[in-house]
Every structure is written in structure tokens, then in C-alpha cells.
Amino acid sequence: MTMIGWLQIILFCVIIVALAKPLGGYMTRVFNGERTFMSPVLRPIEAAIYWVSGVDERREQHWLTYTVAMLLFHVGGFLIIYGVMRLQAMLPFNPADQSAVAPDLSFNTAISFITNTNWQNYGGESTVSYLVQMLGLTHQNFLSAATGIALAVALIRGFSRASVRTVGNFWGDVTRTTLYVLLPICVVYTLFLVWQGIPQTLGAYVDATTLEGAKQTIAVGPVASQVAIKMLGTNGGGFFNANAAHPFENPTALSNFVQMLSIFLIGAAMTNVFGRMVGNQRQGWAILAVMGVLFIAGVAVTYWAEANGTSIMHALGLTGGNMEGKEVRFGIVASSLFAVITTAASCGAVNAMHDSFTALGGMIPLINMQLGEIIIGGVGAGLYGMLLFVVLAIFVAGLMVGRTPEYVGKKIEAREVKMAMLAILVLPLMYLGWTAVGVVYPAAVASMANAGPHGFTEVLYAFTSATGNNGSAFAGLTGNTFFYNLTLASAMFVGRFFMIVPAMAIAGSLAAKKSIPPSAGTFPTTGGLFVGLVVGVILIIGGLTFFPALALGPIVEHLAMNAGNVF
Amino acid sequence: MDTMKLQKRAPTSAMLDPKIVLPAIRASFTKLDPRLMVKNPVMFVVEIVAALTTVIFLRDLVTGGTGLGFTFQIILWLWFTVLFANFAEAVAEGRGKAQAESLRKTRTESQAKLLTGAGQAFKLVAGTSLKVGDIVLVEAGDTIPSDGEVIEGVASVNEAAITGESAPVIRESGGDRSAVTGGTQVLSDWIRVRITAAQGSTFIDRMIKLVEGAERAKTPNEIALNILLAGLTIIFVFATVTIPSYAAYAGGSISVIVLVALFVTLIPTTIGALLSAIGIAGMDRLVRFNVLAMSGRAVEAAGDVDTLLLDKTGTITLGNRQATAFRPVRGVTEQDLADAAQLASLADETPEGRSIVVLAKEKYGIRGRDMAELGATFIPFTAQTRMSGVDAGGSSVRKGAVDAMLNYVGGGAPLAVASGNTARALQPGGLSEVGREVQTIADEISKAGGTPLAVAKDGKLLGVIQLKDIVKGGIRERFAELRRMGIRTIMITGDNPMTAAAIAAEAGVDDFLAQATPEDKLKLIRDEQAKGKLVAMCGDGTNDAPALAQADVGVAMNTGTQAAREAGNMVDLDSNPTKLIEVVEIGKQLLMTRGALTTFSIANDVAKYFAIIPAMFLAFYPQLNVLNIMNLSSPQSAILSAIIFNALIIIALIPLALRGVAYRAVGAGALLRRNLLIYGLGGIVIPFIGIKAIDLVVVALHLA
């Protein structure tokens, strides 16, 4: 580990914290339907969208109506992606003449993109046309991100409103989020990426002649615009198979740094939106602090593990840490940091191969996802996931102040506990359950690239990534098989929607409650004690679930490696 | 302090009392009935698992398996875990049962004198045959046959059966002391009682059911907690049932009994086992404190209270006002005023009158004189004159309400409205100079929270006696404590706003409601509730009933009317309004105990993982022995120690569950920090030590 390395990590954190407040303020205005400096340009477009689609954005919806609207919206999104993938050979913008994508792969990809997972069992440049990339994937990159944010806003309204039956209007929230938040940032961001050297063209792949005289086809396309939203919306689905490790997706150290920032940008700002909407920004900072503590701890472990390398490398005379699977233009710090960020934030873009990380270095991304993608997390999804944990933490320990637990003025009672438990329950069911099948079912075992604990980790990682709607792959595992296409799709679906519906039920139930003014007897939720408590509950409740699996994967691999055994 | 008394009155020695322990041991087994166990999801799961492994064990015993000794011990401890949980509940119930027994004795068969006509004619019937609406005569020596309302007469009644207090209380028709309780005894005089409760639903019947826990419904927090515990149990089902597959991949296998041991140690058995005992003990603490809660929900709500409405008289101030100063007009000495005031009060037997005599004696050395010696005649107070005094030796001394006195000396001035303490209705222009001076002094006294009494001798005003409400000693500190608990206190009084404000400031309440009518009270409660606050109050009169019913915690005084007792959700048998504060503390204690043991239970899992995971996988991943940080001697001893710890901790925590976690009014932040340190951090550390110690014993005894 170097001082420069740590400075880069600290600089990253400082910028994220500094941006959280202004962006949070802007987004709060957007979600409240207030005027912003963008309104003169965007309001006419917004009004036109409502007019065309016949939506009255001021009509408030009950949580159930809101949720059903969201689900219907996703059925549409699913059909579009599935349709264009199956029919891409007959549709325009297909200069590479890609043929129709197989049904199971199309199914997996459609689920993957509507759930904001962007798990890639397909190879971008070798499987899909530009039309699929733009109409199917980039389009869902925007809308699944906007949906996550809208749902988080609806849950925040549950906390901030009192004695009402409604949580907002889904169509209005999604439209405003896309128009006022995602699109403007992406326009500027895309231009920046083009400047950094990322292609943005509808032209065909380019043929080049190498120094040896061989012919090489270089894949290009409308890359920059997709990369922008893939990062900002924590989607993570790369234009190319190599994702952010590909020079055309992430050409420079600067583009890498800005891409890392853009992964956390909205998620961090959402905590400020939460604080503002519940009337006390410190509530938002406390949530961000919980995320920050877990994040920095993760970064420290991974950076330490990668910078130190392994005893086996040392025995071979290799010094300077573990560079296997990393891009030289990024190095150990930027790769370690990127890996932790992308898994903490449910993005899933990768600039290095996590499979090649040391056992412990690769364990952190795994843990980040197993905790439920709540360390910043997916845009919106991270916040509502975190709030579910807060509800549980407040309930467990809040009784210890001698009152019915309450959070930002709302009593946490049976219904909230039931729903939070339900949402948190499905995560281990998916990743532990499918892993248990995946490591013994012969058709699935064939997909593993490595034996022993490392192979086990590959399977566990895949299902964890899918359940957490992260989408990053450990690599090594062959995912494009009938078994994995279907099981991973089910994990992604359950991990997304079985969390959303209970979270929305909580939103509805909270909105209907009275708001209790704080007193000296109220559990204080803005201080270090609260932060420590939530971190503890997350680590213990989360950790207890997957400790056995971790012991059999990365932990035993690490111990075995120190004893000279590799897998 | 009262809280100390509370602790003392709830001894934790119940676990050592053979009268409670022996039946509780028996009950531990009868409670194994799955129909009863199913109410407690966590322990029900343990029972199922214990039963299944027992069946497997018996099968292996027949077919001849290996390692049966180890399996047998694990199964034994699984059953102990369930039995210990049942034992905890039975001990908690046992304390109530003993109390119910003594209550039952009072409910002996009695004869009732059922009035048959308008006169005194009655016929003797069995007490049990009385119906609601029947009118009975109860005379000296009779036991009141059932709950009712006195409709005629006055009697002294011994209510020791329910309150434990042997001093008799007065029960009379009309007013706020008209309720009588079945099973109590009339000591003197007679009363006619209209029966208001049918047999089986009388106060004592309800009391018996409550203390026995027969009608215990789960409280809202308990339900939520049960959901959490059930959820955690399901998560651990996932965590354990997937392990065999992982082991198979690694080329090993794991026996059912080891998986079961891991599962049972991970699920929150500690809190699962103690949850109902905590609830029962909370109710029991209230009962020991002579407060009957009609539901566990009310006890829980008490912990959540944000606003406390307290009546001024009797709660914040002593019942009576006392003279604190003599304020003469110009040209009159204090000595003269004191002398006249004392003379006027010699025959005044009211507490106020006596306090004037005492003050004159203490402050000015004026000794009490004998009325007869002076040849004085006493002029008593009447509602018409609103003054009293003495005529002696040709001179007359009077004291009374200021407006009445001004009227008396002024001759023709118009009478003030009767309600105020000051004579604002009088035209200042119509007063003499002395009259205006008295008026000024009186206003000052009112503003300071006192009551003025004017004194005149031979038609000439001498000055004003200052009477003051005496705020109870230590009450200010109690309110400060409540403020630290985050509870706002509001004083309710019939006084005018000026007086009320002064007393409120002196007592240190946060707010007050002056000239309060029952409607005002009800409105205040509704307003507070609209702001999301929970309100507690106590009351005794029929006109308090709507407010008692509206309040989230309504404590009715046992001396109060039947209507008030029906409307409240708690009854204070001692009729001590200050007790509301302790009720709140007991509610908080109940919630805290649940939270503390839940946190402890979950935190325990960390150590159990470190005990069992390395032991479980050692056969095929020997490297994992690094995780055996407790250095337990063998896989078998590690697993056995974890399951033994898991069972014994239940027994170890029963006293805490019964006693409750100590509550301190230090603010939520400090309280949480302290409890997190003890039960959170302690919950992580203690099992590491405990499991290691048990492992040493297990090895020493060659159990594994």
C-alpha cells in the first residue's frame, strides 16, 4: 500500500461527500415537483410526455397502485428487450449481422436489464446489434435506474408524510427522474467520455492490420452514451464483453476515476434527499456514514490484500502485489477501489477480473453483495435496502431505550418488521439456495472453471451478484448455459421485486401513520451511536447468514493458499 | 425513592422459592404439549427438531449406529433447551398464581340482602345469584357481594382484600367515592348498592385472571418481536440446510445431529425462551405495585407515553393551602394583622384556618387563646357571606374572600362574581383608598400563585393573609426526571391562569391547563394525540371517565367511581396519582428488557459460529481450525459446549427476565449506549468465555 494509493481513495471519498449535498438538494426539488434551473427547457418536454401518455402526474397513488404501475412498466420493458434480441437479425442497426439471440439467453438478458442487474451472459460485441444495445439495453439502463430512484423516493415519502394513504405518482416520478436527473448528467458525461477517447458511432466494426500483418476486427459502436448511463445508473452492463477493462470503455486513469465517481454519485446523494425530505439533513448524513464505514473497511481489506499479493507469489520472487487480471493503466489501487465500489453500489461494471484477485481481496466484493447491496447500493435500491436494515436495527436495539422503536418520527411496528424481514429473507434463499444446487447438479458443475473452494466461490459469486442485482461476474464461470440462464434470471427477479414489494408495503404503512415529534426519550438517529449500531446489525444479521458459505469459499482458499495449496 | 421500593417489592428469589419452583418444574413438562408450544414459534421449532432427532436416535439405537453417546447428549440438551424455556414461563406465572390464590379466598360464598321493595324489606339470596341492576343492602359486618355503585348511605369499608391496606375507606352515594368492590367488607353503617357486575366478571375475578396470566394476549411489540424471531429462524434454516450440499461439493458429509446443533444454537432461542416470561413479569411488577393493568397493551403504551396529565391537587400540591404571610395595609403592623387573623381563625377547624393560627404563633409568637376565656362567639363560614370570624368583647373580627370582605366593609358596593379570587368586577372608583390597597396586595398574591384572604376588624380592613398551595416535596425533581425521560408534564387545575402559572413554575411542570373543565381535558388529550403523542392521565370522578377512556394510558383511582374504573385501562388500588410516574417506568422497563435480551441473543451467535463452523468442516478442510479461536479441544466438545451454553444461558437469564433491566432517566442516547455496551458487546464476548469454560468441563468429565 502506498501513500499515493490512499490519497486517491481519500480524494474519491471527499468528492463523493462534497457532491452529495448539492445534487441531493437539486434532486429533492425534482422529486417534490418544484421548479429547477432546468425547468424552462425540460418542463415542456415533460408536459408533452404526460399529454401523449395520458398521465396526470399530480394524481397521487396508493402504494399498491404505485407498485402495480411499476410492475406493468417492467413487463413492457421485458417484452421490448426480449423482442429486439430475438428479432435483431431482421431489424436495422445491425452492421455486424448478428443473428437472433437464443431464447434462454434473451430471457436472462431481459430480466437482467429490467432488474438493473446487467448480468451479462452475452458478449456485447459478439452477440447483439447496435439496436439491441440502444433500444433494449441503454433504454432500460435509464428506466430501471429511474425506477429504483422512484421507489426510494416513494419509501422516503412514507417516512416524511403523515396520515395519508398515498406515496406519489409512479409515472411522474420516473419521468422526472429520467428527464431532470439522468439525462442532463449523461449528456455532459457522454461528451466527457468521448473526449477521453471512447467511440460514439453507428458505423460498422473497423478492420485493422496488425504489425504482424494479421487482420483484426475492432469493435466500435455507440459506446460512450451507453457507458455514461451504465455507470450513473449503477447498471454495469458493458458495451463490450470486457466491460470497463476494455480500452474503448475506459481508456484513461481519468476516465476510470470519473467512472468510479459516477457510480456512487446518485446513490450518495439519495441519502441527502432522504435527510432533506424527512426534515433533517443529519438523518441523511448518518445513513451515508453507515455506508461509508462499511465501504472504507472493504476498501482497506481489498487494497491491503491486493497490494500485499500472496505467499505463493512471494515464493516465486514476484513483488509489488497482485497484478494478475488487472489493467496496467489502472494499477492495484484503482482496480481494488473500482472492485469495491462496483460491488458496493450494485453497479457490476468491472475494470479488472475479480476472479484473479487474492482470496481475501475477492471476498470483499462478495460480502458487499451479500449484505444486500446497501453500501451506497444501486441508485435508489441501495437506499431502500439500507432503510430496511435500519428498520430492523432500530427495532432490535430501539426497544432498549424503553419505547416502541421509532425512526424519523414513525413507529416501527409489526407490519414494518414483517415486511423488512420478508425482504431480507429472500436474499439468502436465492444465493445460498441456488449455490447449493449449483455446486452439486452435474450440468451446473460443468460450468465451473476451477476446482475446490475457488470453483465454489465462482458459483456463490454468480448467484450473489444476480440476487443483489449487481451483475458483476467473478469470471471463470460459464454462465451462458440453460441452467444458469434460468436460475440466474430467477435470482435477479426475486432479488429485485421480492425486495421492492415489501419495501413499498412499508412505504404505504408508514405514510398512513402519524408523525411523532422527537423528545429526549426518542432514540437518537443522527449520531455515532446509531451509525455503530446499524453497522453492527448489518454485519451480524448479514454476516450470520453467509458465514458458513464464506468459510467454505474464500476463507478456506486463503488458508489453503498460505499452506501452499492453490485451486 | 419509590423506584427503590419497587425493586425491593419484586424479589428475584422466586427461582429459589420451592412453592413456585416445584409446580414450575411440573409445568415445564406439561407445557411441552405442541398445542401450547406453537404459540412460541422459536421454541416450537426447537421442540420439533428435538423430537425428530430423538426418532432418528432411536432408529440408530436399534440398527446400531456410531457416536451414539455424543448424539444422545446433544438430544438431551435440545430437550433441556425447550424445558428451560417452559420453566422460565412457569416461574413467571407462578408468582402471579400465588397472588391469585389469596384473592380467591376473598371470593367466598356470601349471602346478599336483596332489596325487594321500596322499604327496607329484603330477602337473603346467594351472592352468586345476583344480576346486574339488583339493589342490595349491606350493613356493618357484611361482605359486599359484588361490584356496585352506592346509591344511598355512607359506610366505612375495609378494602384490605384488594389493596392490602387495612385502614378503612369511606364509601358514599353521589360524588367520586361511590364505587364498591365485591369481596370487601363494610365495617360501620349501611349502604344500598346497585350491582354493576355479573358473577365471573367482577373486579376480583378480573384481577385473578390478570395475575394468573390466563387472559394474556400478546402485546403489539411482542407480536412484532415474534415476527422478527420467526424471520431470523427461517434465515438460519436457509443457512443450515444448504450446508450439506456445500459439504458434498467439498467431498465431505455432515451428520444431521451436527446440523441440528448448529441450527438450534443460531436461532434466537434465548429471547424466544424468555419472551413470554418478560411480559408476565412486567404485569406482575405492576400488580406488586398495587396497579392493575387491564391489558398488557396498556403496560406497553405506558412506556411510550409522551405527555403526562396530572391533577394539581393531591398530585402536585398537598391537598390543602396554608398561610404563608400576613400583608398589612399601611398604618397597620404585621403583628396587629397576625393577631386579628389568629383571633378570627381560632374556631376555624379547616386546615387553612389552623395554618393561620400556626403561622401567627410561629412567626409572631402570638399564642392561641381560648375562645371560652374570651367569651367569644364564632361566626361560621357560609356560602352566602363567604367569610367567617369571631365576635368578642364588643369587637368583631372577620376574614374571608377579598371581594366578599370589600363588600362587607364597603357597605353598598356591588358583589363580585363568585368565581375569581380577586374582586375584578368591583369598580375601582367605588373603593376606598384602603380597599384599593387591599385589592393591589390581593392581585400580587394571586399572581404569585397564592390565595388572598382579607381580614377586617370592626369594619376596618387590616390587610391580607396569603394562603399558598404547598408543592409536594421532591415533586420538582420527579418532573425533572420525567423531562430527561422525554416526557412532558401538564398540570390540570381549576385555578385561574395566574395562580396556575405560578404553581406550575414552582413545581417545574412543562405546561398547565387552568380553569379546566372535563371538556377542556378531553380536548387537550385529543390535541396531543393529533400531534402523534401518547397521553397518560389519572382520574377518579365520573366526569373524568371520557378523558380516561380517550387517554392512551388512563389510570383510575380505586377510590373513584365505577364509571372511572370502567373507562381507564389501569386501576391504582392505592389511589395515589403520583404513581403514574412509576407506571411509566415499569412500561419502559418491560420494553427495555425485551430489547436487551433480543440484542444479547443475536450477538451470542458470533461466538457460536466460531465454535461450530471449524468443528463441522474440520474433517475435510483442516485449515479451518484457524477459526477455532477459542481453542476448543475437539469438534465434539466444541459442538456440545455450544449447545450446553445455549441451554444454560436461558436459566441464567431468568432472574433478569423477571426483574427487568434497570431503567434510568438519563435520556435515550445515554441509555442506549449503556445497554448496547452491556447487552450488545457483552452478548458478543460472554459466550466466548462461557463456551470455553464449558468445553473445559466437558473435557474434564470425559463427555466428549
Side-chain angles (χ1 to χ4, degrees), chain B residues 402-404 406 414-429 431 439 442-443 446-447 495-499 515:
Chain B
V402 174
D403 53 339
L406 288 173
L415 258 170
V417 283
S419 67
N421 290 321
T422 57
R424 237 167 288 161
L426 283 174
Q427 296 298 316
L431 285 175
Q439 188 66 66
D443 280 348
S446 289
K447 256 179 228 161
D495 291 342
N496 66 50
M498 226 193 281
T499 312
Q515 285 166 346

Side-chain angles (χ1 to χ4, degrees), chain B residues 338-503:
Chain B
D339 185 69
Q342 195 204 41
L343 196 58
S345 308
L346 279 178
D348 184 353
E349 284 302 318
T350 64
E352 285 89 350
R354 264 176 282 158
S355 78
I356 295 170
V357 176
V358 169
L359 183 72
K361 185 174 160 188
E362 281 178 354
K363 220 169 163 186
Y364 304 99
I366 303 166
R367 303 188 53 142
R369 286 150 285 189
D370 186 54
M371 290 280 288
E373 223 169 81
L374 294 169
T377 44
F378 177 54
I379 312 294
F381 178 88
T382 68
Q384 282 75 41
T385 60
R386 297 198 294 130
M387 64 177 81
S388 64
V390 175
D391 285 340
S395 86
S396 66
V397 188
R398 294 286 183 278
K399 70 169 200 293
V402 174
D403 53 339
M405 290 299 291
L406 288 173
N407 193 35
Y408 166 69
V409 298
L415 258 170
V417 283
S419 67
N421 290 321
T422 57
R424 237 167 288 161
L426 283 174
Q427 296 298 316
L431 285 175
S432 63
E433 200 183 318
V434 180
R436 275 198 297 276
E437 203 184 338
V438 164
Q439 188 66 66
T440 314
I441 298 171
D443 280 348
E444 278 171 23
I445 292 172
S446 289
K447 256 179 228 161
T451 309
L453 278 184
V455 179
K457 191 174 183 182
D458 301 330
K460 198 170 139 264
L461 285 167
L462 297 181
V464 183
I465 308 167
Q466 176 177 329
L467 293 179
K468 259 194 99 172
D469 267 316
I470 303 301
V471 171
K472 279 186 177 175
I475 199 85
R476 208 187 158 84
E477 289 69 37
R478 296 307 296 273
F479 290 144
E481 196 182 326
L482 284 170
R483 203 165 301 120
R484 284 196 298 275
M485 289 158 85
I487 296 171
R488 216 161 67 92
T489 44
I490 301 181
M491 180 181 85
I492 310 285
T493 170
D495 291 342
N496 66 50
M498 226 193 281
T499 312
I503 296 170

Side-chain angles (χ1 to χ4, degrees), chain A residues 116-120 189 226-227 229-232 234-245 249-250 256 259-260 262-263 334-335 337-354 365 369 373 461 465 469-473:
Chain A
N116 196 259
T117 311
N118 299 23
W119 174 269
Q120 291 174 284
Y189 189 16
Q226 189 179 334
V227 168
I229 187 62
K230 135 194 164 190
M231 294 300 179
L232 189 70
T234 62
N235 294 285
F239 194 94
F240 302 108
N241 197 23
N243 211 305
E249 273 204 53
N250 191 4
N256 186 62
Q259 287 191 12
M260 290 195 295
S262 63
I263 296 174
S335 301
L337 186 58
F338 198 107
V340 178
I341 291 169
T342 194
T343 49
S346 176
C347 178
V350 290
N351 77 349
M353 297 303 118
H354 297 178
M369 296 185 292
E373 293 292 11
Y461 192 103
S465 172
N469 296 140
N470 182 280
S472 73

